[in-house]
């Protein structure tokens, strides 16, 4: 079982690489298009459905600065696939190079326990949790912007800030009443 | 956009942002770009160094202890970061003022405009100071008035309470004294009434028994008449 190692390769000059992992492969496409519009740095976006990644691409794959797990809350499979993929990452990634992005959190068909479970997962791994709206262009652009902020830090473009430092300031915490039943 | 092959059900695709001029190998990079790249690389090296040194200081402790230490470290980190940020701001302020000073010393049209703006700022600041002082005075006056009003209210309240006390307490002690006196008087009255009735009965008995002629003697007749007024009680 080969794990993805954050420091196995040399970083790219003036480039940042992000890996979007999504089971449905739906949101990652539009998000990728929005991400590459950034001009000040070269953004390499790699898309994957889940881990483990195919071994054939190991050589050509650049060093991944940020791994984003996109979880669609309307499907339980999405969350389970993301959870199962976690063990294919080296622990070095969880010090700020992993981010969770959740879509469709406002949908009424989503059971509250799934969001709580995602929250718990993000809080236990000390990773930031972003909520994105994938239906409109504006939502995609906003999500891409927020991802770019984290990506720039992970790739070292922000002076005096490392991804570990940023993750400590943006990590997701559990709301204190997460175990109490919600209103619906 | 190049796409690589997919293995079984896993796809990996690469999208590369093409830079406007030149191939990916050699680019025309300006000095600023090179500095930026250098900074990026030093940042990355720093991260790798941190990871390398992370394993050196190991100590075993429980998770809860680790959590506590972690939050302590985080707050320390935040404190230092804010301190550094504030100090950077102060430094920037000083640099800016120094630059403005230098600029004003040279006499050219730009520095004249700067001087004019400066004068206006100072005038506005003086005005602000004055208005603030006036505000403070007015505020003090208002506080004084409020204190006086409160004092008045308190006095009024006290006076009202006093009046109420007086009104309610006026009848009370008098009626008490009166009642006691009244009762005592009545008891005495009863006692003497009984005594006089008994004496009168006795006298009547004596008069009747001794067959005294009381009609002739005026003094005796008066006494006997008065006997008739009192009812014969037991």
């Amino acid at each position: 079982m080969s794990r993805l190692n954050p420091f196995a390769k040399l970083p790219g000059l003036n480039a940042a690489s992000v890996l979007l992992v999504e089971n449905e492969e739906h949101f990652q496409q539009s998000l990728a298009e929005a991400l590459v519009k950034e001009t000040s740095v070269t953004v390499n976006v790699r898309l994957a459905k889940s881990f483990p990644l195919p071994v054939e691409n190991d050589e050509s794959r650049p060093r991944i600065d940020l791994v984003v797990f996109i979880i669609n809350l309307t499907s339980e499979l999405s969350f389970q696939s993301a959870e199962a993929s976690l063990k294919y990452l080296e622990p070095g990634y969880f010090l700020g190079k992993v981010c969770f992005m959740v879509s469709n959190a406002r949908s009424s068909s989503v059971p509250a326990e799934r969001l709580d479970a995602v929250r718990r997962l993000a809080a236990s791994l000390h990773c930031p949790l972003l909520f994105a709206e994938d239906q409109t262009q504006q939502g995609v652009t906003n999500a891409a912007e927020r991802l770019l902020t984290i990506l720039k830090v992970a790739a070292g473009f922000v002076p005096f800030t490392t991804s570990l430092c940023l993750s400590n300031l943006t990590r997701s915490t559990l709301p204190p009443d997460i175990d109490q039943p919600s209103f619906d | 956009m190049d796409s690589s092959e997919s293995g079984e059900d896993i796809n990996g695709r690469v999208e590369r942002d093409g830079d406007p001029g030149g191939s990916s190998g050699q680019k025309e990079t300006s000095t600023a770009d090179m500095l930026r790249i250098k900074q990026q690389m030093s940042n990355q090296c720093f991260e790798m160094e941190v990871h390398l040194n992370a394993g050196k200081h190991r100590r075993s402790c429980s998770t809860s202890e680790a959590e506590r230490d972690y939050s302590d470290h985080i707050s320390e980190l935040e404190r230092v970061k804010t301190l550094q940020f504030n100090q950077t701001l102060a430094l920037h302020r000083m640099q800016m003022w120094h630059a403005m000073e230098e600029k004003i010393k040279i006499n050219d049209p730009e520095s004249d405009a700067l001087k004019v703006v400066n004068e206006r700022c100072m005038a506005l600041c003086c005005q602000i100071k004055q208005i603030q002082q006036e505000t403070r005075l007015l505020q003090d006056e208002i506080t004084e008035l409020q204190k006086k009003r409160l004092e008045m209210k308190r006095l009024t309240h006290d006076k009202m309470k006093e009046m109420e006390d007086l009104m309610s307490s006026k009848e009370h002690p008098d009626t008490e004294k009166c009642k006691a006196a009244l009762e005592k008087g009545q008891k005495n009255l009863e006692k003497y009434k009984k005594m006089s009735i008994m004496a009168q009965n006795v006298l009547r008995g004596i008069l009747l028994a001794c067959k005294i002629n009381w009609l002739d003697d005026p003094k005796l007749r008066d006494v006997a008449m008065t006997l008739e007024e009192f009812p014969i009680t037991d």
Side-chain angles (χ1 to χ4, degrees):
Chain A
M1 179 168 80
S2 68
R3 296 209 243 175
L4 197 62
N5 198 333
F7 297 114
K9 303 192 184 178
L10 291 175
L13 286 178
N14 207 25
S17 306
V18 61
L19 174 67
L20 303 176
V21 181
E22 188 190 3
N23 200 9
E24 288 78 26
E25 296 181 306
H26 166 64
F27 183 28
Q28 55 183 204
Q29 190 61 42
S30 40
L31 195 58
E33 276 159 27
L35 278 172
V36 296
K37 290 200 182 115
E38 172 69 22
T39 49
S40 58
V41 300
T42 314
V43 179
N44 298 330
V45 182
R46 295 188 77 94
L47 310 175
K49 182 168 166 157
S50 69
F51 279 76
L53 299 177
V55 218
E56 309 86 52
N57 296 337
D58 269 348
E59 283 304 314
S60 61
R61 189 185 305 129
R63 178 211 232 209
I64 302 284
D65 293 312
L66 183 68
V67 177
V68 183
F69 287 99
I70 302 178
I71 300 181
N72 189 346
L73 277 186
T74 47
S75 107
E76 180 71 21
L77 189 57
S78 187
F79 175 52
Q80 283 170 350
S81 146
E83 242 187 330
S85 309
L86 285 175
K87 53 181 182 287
Y88 290 95
L89 284 175
E90 282 279 328
Y93 264 110
F94 291 102
L95 294 172
K97 292 185 186 286
V98 167
C99 170
F100 287 94
M101 182 168 271
V102 166
S103 67
N104 285 331
R106 285 191 285 197
S107 162
S108 52
S109 58
V110 168
E113 297 82 33
R114 205 171 290 158
L115 180 57
D116 282 353
V118 173
R119 272 211 167 113
R120 266 183 244 264
L121 181 65
S124 67
L125 295 170
H126 297 292
C127 296
L129 177 64
L130 302 176
F131 289 87
E133 201 254 289
D134 60 342
Q135 311 289 346
T136 64
Q137 186 54 40
Q138 186 63 39
V140 172
T141 322
N142 288 343
E145 255 179 61
R146 294 166 75 192
L147 260 189
L148 267 174
T149 325
I150 305 185
L151 178 60
K152 279 191 189 161
V153 172
F157 286 105
V158 179
F160 303 118
T161 315
T162 58
S163 52
L164 183 58
C165 182
L166 183 68
S167 81
N168 285 329
L169 298 175
T170 59
R171 67 197 172 106
S172 125
T173 49
L174 288 174
D177 59 351
I178 196 168
D179 286 323
Q180 291 165 13
S182 62
F183 278 104
D184 33 71
Chain B
M1 259 208 321
D2 5 22
S3 52
S4 49
E5 291 90 26
S6 57
E8 284 122 3
D9 50 340
I10 299 167
N11 291 329
R13 258 172 293 147
V14 175
E15 291 177 74
R16 179 153 278 144
D17 180 20
D19 28 350
S23 55
S24 54
Q26 293 140 358
K27 288 196 282 190
E28 275 293 326
T29 45
S30 64
T31 340
D33 280 345
M34 292 218 300
L35 281 174
R36 213 157 47 99
I37 293 174
K38 168 197 166 266
Q39 183 139 58
Q40 182 208 357
M41 286 301 119
S42 68
N43 226 349
Q44 296 274 19
C45 290
F46 175 68
E47 263 197 72
M48 292 194 265
E49 230 183 275
V50 162
H51 273 269
L52 282 175
N53 293 335
K56 285 198 189 148
H57 308 283
R58 269 185 202 275
R59 58 190 174 107
S60 58
C61 57
S62 64
T63 323
S64 55
E65 216 185 290
E67 287 281 324
R68 256 181 298 138
D69 283 349
Y70 179 62
S71 32
D72 283 344
H73 290 321
I74 295 285
S75 30
E76 179 67 26
L77 190 70
E78 282 171 2
R79 190 189 68 85
V80 172
K81 266 216 169 291
T82 24
L83 189 68
Q84 192 243 358
F85 186 65
N86 289 337
Q87 284 173 346
T88 317
L89 278 181
L91 182 68
H92 286 167
R93 273 202 296 268
M94 291 198 316
Q95 284 176 334
M96 202 180 67
W97 278 115
H98 180 75
M100 276 179 51
E101 240 183 74
E102 295 292 311
K103 184 69 185 170
I104 288 182
K105 280 191 200 151
I106 319 165
N107 282 330
D108 58 335
E110 280 179 359
S111 76
D112 285 339
L114 210 59
K115 277 184 196 148
V116 164
V117 170
N118 224 0
E119 302 273 331
R120 188 147 182 274
C121 277
M122 296 242 297
L124 284 173
C125 280
C126 287
Q127 238 183 342
I128 289 174
K129 212 171 76 158
Q130 208 180 8
I131 293 180
Q132 272 181 345
Q133 273 178 341
E134 280 176 31
T135 322
R136 203 174 314 136
L137 283 174
L138 286 173
Q139 196 70 37
D140 287 342
E141 273 180 40
I142 290 176
T143 328
E144 283 299 309
L145 284 175
Q146 276 181 339
K147 275 204 276 201
K148 279 201 193 130
R149 218 175 63 161
L150 203 63
E151 189 62 32
M152 282 290 138
K153 250 187 173 172
R154 200 180 59 84
L155 281 176
T156 330
H157 189 67
D158 284 346
K159 288 276 176 259
M160 291 288 291
K161 245 175 64 162
E162 257 186 58
M163 258 174 44
E164 264 184 46
D165 281 345
L166 279 176
M167 297 271 286
S168 61
S169 64
K170 230 192 333 191
E171 304 117 2
H172 207 58
D174 287 358
T175 45
E176 269 193 14
K177 275 195 281 187
C178 278
K179 249 200 245 172
L182 210 61
E183 270 184 31
K184 229 167 95 175
Q186 271 186 337
K187 263 204 309 207
N188 277 345
L189 189 63
E190 289 295 328
K191 198 169 77 175
Y192 287 120
K193 225 168 143 179
K194 282 201 185 119
M195 275 173 49
S196 62
I197 289 174
M198 267 205 307
Q200 282 183 342
N201 282 343
V202 164
L203 189 56
R204 198 183 296 123
I206 295 176
L207 280 180
L208 285 175
C210 303
K211 296 195 177 51
I212 299 170
N213 191 0
W214 46 268
L215 280 171
D216 292 334
D217 193 357
K219 265 209 302 205
L220 216 50
R221 197 176 55 205
D222 289 331
V223 172
M225 286 309 200
T226 59
L227 281 179
E228 303 283 332
E229 288 170 16
F230 275 78
I232 303 176
T233 55
D234 260 330

